[in-house]
Amino acid sequence: MNTYGKFAQEAWKTTAPEEYAQIPDPDAWFEALGEEATQRVGELMMELAGPDPVGETYLEKVGRLNASKMQAEEIVRAEMLTPDPSVQQEPEEEDEEETGVAQMLRVVEQLNREDREYWDEVARQDAEQG
């Protein structure tokens, strides 16, 4: 299972345990999801990077491609790898220190919420103007 599949599986276990429990073969399902996410990241990365600008240096290209990959991964995590907020459960507070994955998941969840709120507001404004 690739890193996207592992991330998704951990996200579902943590934030939507009831829905996770309903998946007949979680390892196979998240492995397939990870492969699909890998393909989508590659497609989206190239789309976001766009064509090579005239006169672009090697280091500028590396920076542009790295930035587009990070942006593509962020989009794919939000769209494909985390459960819908309507099924997510708030994690219980623990006395132990939060793990790196848990911290990243918490940040991604917050970004997902903010992104959805933003797009809901955009859609509302479009509806009012239209």
Side-chain angles (χ1 to χ4, degrees):
M1 182 180 313
N2 66 24
T3 57
Y4 300 123
K6 289 176 186 174
F7 174 87
Q9 190 171 26
E10 188 63 32
W12 280 75
K13 278 182 187 177
T14 305
T15 62
E18 291 175 13
E19 286 72 18
Y20 179 84
Q22 295 175 10
I23 300 171
D25 184 358
D27 289 336
W29 195 83
F30 285 104
E31 185 173 344
L33 180 62
E35 293 301 320
E36 185 180 339
T38 298
Q39 182 177 357
R40 180 66 182 132
V41 165
E43 293 167 357
L44 190 55
M45 177 187 128
M46 296 313 293
E47 193 177 304
L48 293 168
D52 294 348
V54 176
E56 181 179 46
T57 67
Y58 171 77
L59 290 178
E60 290 170 337
K61 181 172 184 169
V62 168
R64 180 174 52 86
L65 293 176
N66 283 339
S68 67
K69 182 178 182 188
M70 288 189 299
Q71 188 177 6
E73 287 177 331
E74 181 179 339
I75 292 167
V76 168
R77 277 191 190 99
E79 291 178 353
M80 295 178 66
L81 303 180
T82 54
D84 186 271
S86 65
V87 298
Q88 291 183 12
Q89 298 175 356
E90 290 296 321
E92 297 177 13
E93 291 189 28
E94 299 178 8
D95 292 337
E96 300 175 19
E97 278 191 38
E98 193 173 36
T99 65
V101 172
Q103 288 174 344
M104 182 170 55
L105 182 58
R106 188 173 40 77
V107 170
V108 168
E109 289 170 347
Q110 179 62 33
L111 290 172
N112 286 344
R113 278 191 292 276
E114 291 172 5
D115 187 56
R116 285 186 183 90
E117 289 170 5
Y118 171 80
W119 288 111
D120 288 346
E121 179 65 20
V122 168
R124 187 188 61 74
Q125 290 178 359
D126 285 348
E128 288 177 358
Q129 293 176 358

